[in-house]
Amino acid sequence: MHLKSLEKAFNTMFHNPQLFEEFLCSDLSNEVEEFYIGKEKPRKVIRVSEKFKTFLRFIDKVILQHLKINKDVVHSYIKEKSAMSAVQSHVNGKYFLVSDIVSFFSNVSSEDVKKILVANVSNIPIEDIEDYIPRIVTLVCWNNCLPVGFVTSPKLSNAALFQFDSAMADYCKKQNLTYTRYSDDLIVSSQAREPLIELQTQLQSLISQNTNGQLEVNLDKTKIYTIGQPFTILGLVITQYQTLTISRKHKNHLEVALHYFVTDKLRFKDYLEEHFAGKEQSLFGLLHYAKSVEPRYINKLQRKYGAYAITDLLENKWND
């Protein structure tokens, strides 16, 4: 593996020595803006400058793609994997344990990020990477944690759970269980209920022993289900016939939207505003997701609402 200095790697990508100086010295308070959206439940959003986005993309592409993750179980933020592939791994299960991690990103600290980078020095093809770790930590963290919305946060979040994922994979293999993770969502399936009951009692211990000690299982969302029960995993349903379908909630939204699309364009626009943020592209995305998960469901919609209407939306013709 040919090693470059960080400066050479940066200038190879951008051909701008002055920009590298800004990468090293920029005052981030001038590049990041915090604001709130939503009236009933305001949510803090972070917006970064175009220059800062450039810095983050460089870090993501040149440095973070080399971080160690357990690719056998991780399905989030990886090319050719998805929420659907995470759930697909469990279609042959009879019992399912689903859980998630409380406030995952905000509980991965700057110190954790530093430890991740130090542990991966030998994997990153930058000869002087150790000299720049403090600056990289400063760039990828905000308020001393991983910020939701930074392009660098997904890969760092996967790396933060590398040891946990490996410990979970080992535990599940010994117990003949199947484990996958999508971001902070944990999914385990089995042919018997008892091993999942035992795992439920061990889960917090496994997380505490194999992460920074600050991450906690969301007890309210940690549940065991049986095949045939009405439950969703990452917006998907595993049917009693061991196939995948989208949730009933998503189907209802699709079918109401399609009904209005065919019968009343004004009400269709109102429904988009209420349930799809006013964007036909969001409906387009959900239709394609449904098609990828369950093509027969799209055939059913075509019979009910007309092939032309479905094709019109699937082909995104409003952007012509």
mmCIF file of all heavy atoms in Angstrom, residues 147-163:
data_model
loop_
_atom_site.group_PDB
_atom_site.id
_atom_site.type_symbol
_atom_site.label_atom_id
_atom_site.label_comp_id
_atom_site.label_asym_id
_atom_site.label_seq_id
_atom_site.Cartn_x
_atom_site.Cartn_y
_atom_site.Cartn_z
ATOM 1 N N PRO A 147 -22.123 14.478 15.587
ATOM 2 C CA PRO A 147 -23.353 15.182 15.237
ATOM 3 C C PRO A 147 -24.142 14.439 14.162
ATOM 4 O O PRO A 147 -23.575 13.948 13.183
ATOM 5 C CB PRO A 147 -22.847 16.526 14.701
ATOM 6 C CG PRO A 147 -21.501 16.205 14.149
ATOM 7 C CD PRO A 147 -20.937 15.055 14.944
ATOM 8 N N VAL A 148 -25.432 14.331 14.344
ATOM 9 C CA VAL A 148 -26.295 13.795 13.291
ATOM 10 C C VAL A 148 -26.280 14.800 12.140
ATOM 11 O O VAL A 148 -26.483 15.983 12.335
ATOM 12 C CB VAL A 148 -27.727 13.593 13.808
ATOM 13 C CG1 VAL A 148 -28.643 13.143 12.673
ATOM 14 C CG2 VAL A 148 -27.743 12.590 14.947
ATOM 15 N N GLY A 149 -26.014 14.338 10.942
ATOM 16 C CA GLY A 149 -26.016 15.227 9.790
ATOM 17 C C GLY A 149 -24.651 15.449 9.176
ATOM 18 O O GLY A 149 -24.558 15.789 8.000
ATOM 19 N N PHE A 150 -23.574 15.264 9.937
ATOM 20 C CA PHE A 150 -22.236 15.336 9.342
ATOM 21 C C PHE A 150 -22.020 14.083 8.498
ATOM 22 O O PHE A 150 -22.316 12.960 8.941
ATOM 23 C CB PHE A 150 -21.157 15.395 10.426
ATOM 24 C CG PHE A 150 -20.895 16.775 10.971
ATOM 25 C CD1 PHE A 150 -21.842 17.780 10.904
ATOM 26 C CD2 PHE A 150 -19.682 17.062 11.577
ATOM 27 C CE1 PHE A 150 -21.604 19.043 11.424
ATOM 28 C CE2 PHE A 150 -19.423 18.325 12.094
ATOM 29 C CZ PHE A 150 -20.382 19.317 12.024
ATOM 30 N N VAL A 151 -21.471 14.244 7.311
ATOM 31 C CA VAL A 151 -21.248 13.109 6.420
ATOM 32 C C VAL A 151 -20.267 12.114 7.021
ATOM 33 O O VAL A 151 -20.246 10.926 6.648
ATOM 34 C CB VAL A 151 -20.756 13.610 5.046
ATOM 35 C CG1 VAL A 151 -19.340 14.179 5.125
ATOM 36 C CG2 VAL A 151 -20.807 12.494 4.003
ATOM 37 N N THR A 152 -19.460 12.555 7.977
ATOM 38 C CA THR A 152 -18.461 11.690 8.611
ATOM 39 C C THR A 152 -19.032 10.826 9.730
ATOM 40 O O THR A 152 -18.406 9.833 10.134
ATOM 41 C CB THR A 152 -17.334 12.558 9.186
ATOM 42 O OG1 THR A 152 -17.919 13.650 9.913
ATOM 43 C CG2 THR A 152 -16.450 13.115 8.084
ATOM 44 N N SER A 153 -20.184 11.199 10.257
ATOM 45 C CA SER A 153 -20.707 10.501 11.434
ATOM 46 C C SER A 153 -21.100 9.042 11.183
ATOM 47 O O SER A 153 -20.871 8.192 12.051
ATOM 48 C CB SER A 153 -21.889 11.269 12.021
ATOM 49 O OG SER A 153 -21.455 12.508 12.555
ATOM 50 N N PRO A 154 -21.708 8.691 10.036
ATOM 51 C CA PRO A 154 -22.100 7.290 9.838
ATOM 52 C C PRO A 154 -20.946 6.298 9.939
ATOM 53 O O PRO A 154 -21.035 5.304 10.662
ATOM 54 C CB PRO A 154 -22.715 7.298 8.435
ATOM 55 C CG PRO A 154 -23.280 8.671 8.301
ATOM 56 C CD PRO A 154 -22.277 9.560 8.972
ATOM 57 N N LYS A 155 -19.839 6.551 9.226
ATOM 58 C CA LYS A 155 -18.718 5.608 9.273
ATOM 59 C C LYS A 155 -18.107 5.553 10.676
ATOM 60 O O LYS A 155 -17.705 4.482 11.149
ATOM 61 C CB LYS A 155 -17.658 5.987 8.237
ATOM 62 C CG LYS A 155 -18.057 5.687 6.796
ATOM 63 C CD LYS A 155 -16.884 5.903 5.860
ATOM 64 C CE LYS A 155 -17.244 5.581 4.406
ATOM 65 N NZ LYS A 155 -18.159 6.568 3.822
ATOM 66 N N LEU A 156 -18.028 6.685 11.347
ATOM 67 C CA LEU A 156 -17.495 6.690 12.708
ATOM 68 C C LEU A 156 -18.410 5.930 13.662
ATOM 69 O O LEU A 156 -17.943 5.250 14.576
ATOM 70 C CB LEU A 156 -17.296 8.132 13.188
ATOM 71 C CG LEU A 156 -16.070 8.835 12.608
ATOM 72 C CD1 LEU A 156 -16.149 10.336 12.834
ATOM 73 C CD2 LEU A 156 -14.780 8.274 13.226
ATOM 74 N N SER A 157 -19.719 6.029 13.445
ATOM 75 C CA SER A 157 -20.650 5.293 14.311
ATOM 76 C C SER A 157 -20.493 3.795 14.125
ATOM 77 O O SER A 157 -20.543 3.031 15.089
ATOM 78 C CB SER A 157 -22.096 5.729 14.033
ATOM 79 O OG SER A 157 -22.562 5.247 12.788
ATOM 80 N N ASN A 158 -20.286 3.347 12.893
ATOM 81 C CA ASN A 158 -20.051 1.919 12.659
ATOM 82 C C ASN A 158 -18.766 1.455 13.340
ATOM 83 O O ASN A 158 -18.711 0.394 13.956
ATOM 84 C CB ASN A 158 -19.973 1.636 11.154
ATOM 85 C CG ASN A 158 -21.339 1.449 10.517
ATOM 86 O OD1 ASN A 158 -22.333 1.255 11.213
ATOM 87 N ND2 ASN A 158 -21.382 1.513 9.205
ATOM 88 N N ALA A 159 -17.723 2.279 13.222
ATOM 89 C CA ALA A 159 -16.439 1.918 13.834
ATOM 90 C C ALA A 159 -16.524 1.916 15.351
ATOM 91 O O ALA A 159 -15.854 1.118 16.017
ATOM 92 C CB ALA A 159 -15.356 2.888 13.365
ATOM 93 N N ALA A 160 -17.359 2.789 15.903
ATOM 94 C CA ALA A 160 -17.507 2.861 17.361
ATOM 95 C C ALA A 160 -18.078 1.573 17.933
ATOM 96 O O ALA A 160 -17.872 1.252 19.106
ATOM 97 C CB ALA A 160 -18.401 4.044 17.742
ATOM 98 N N LEU A 161 -18.811 0.810 17.091
ATOM 99 C CA LEU A 161 -19.432 -0.431 17.547
ATOM 100 C C LEU A 161 -18.714 -1.684 17.034
ATOM 101 O O LEU A 161 -19.252 -2.786 17.118
ATOM 102 C CB LEU A 161 -20.905 -0.468 17.119
ATOM 103 C CG LEU A 161 -21.823 0.536 17.830
ATOM 104 C CD1 LEU A 161 -23.233 0.459 17.269
ATOM 105 C CD2 LEU A 161 -21.838 0.283 19.333
ATOM 106 N N PHE A 162 -17.499 -1.505 16.520
ATOM 107 C CA PHE A 162 -16.766 -2.653 15.965
ATOM 108 C C PHE A 162 -16.584 -3.766 16.999
ATOM 109 O O PHE A 162 -16.875 -4.936 16.741
ATOM 110 C CB PHE A 162 -15.406 -2.199 15.441
ATOM 111 C CG PHE A 162 -14.506 -3.335 15.035
ATOM 112 C CD1 PHE A 162 -14.802 -4.111 13.929
ATOM 113 C CD2 PHE A 162 -13.367 -3.643 15.779
ATOM 114 C CE1 PHE A 162 -13.980 -5.175 13.558
ATOM 115 C CE2 PHE A 162 -12.539 -4.692 15.425
ATOM 116 C CZ PHE A 162 -12.844 -5.459 14.305
ATOM 117 N N GLN A 163 -16.113 -3.422 18.182
ATOM 118 C CA GLN A 163 -15.873 -4.440 19.212
ATOM 119 C C GLN A 163 -17.184 -5.068 19.672
ATOM 120 O O GLN A 163 -17.266 -6.292 19.870
ATOM 121 C CB GLN A 163 -15.143 -3.810 20.406
ATOM 122 C CG GLN A 163 -14.713 -4.817 21.459
ATOM 123 C CD GLN A 163 -13.884 -4.185 22.563
ATOM 124 O OE1 GLN A 163 -13.164 -3.210 22.337
ATOM 125 N NE2 GLN A 163 -13.988 -4.725 23.780
#
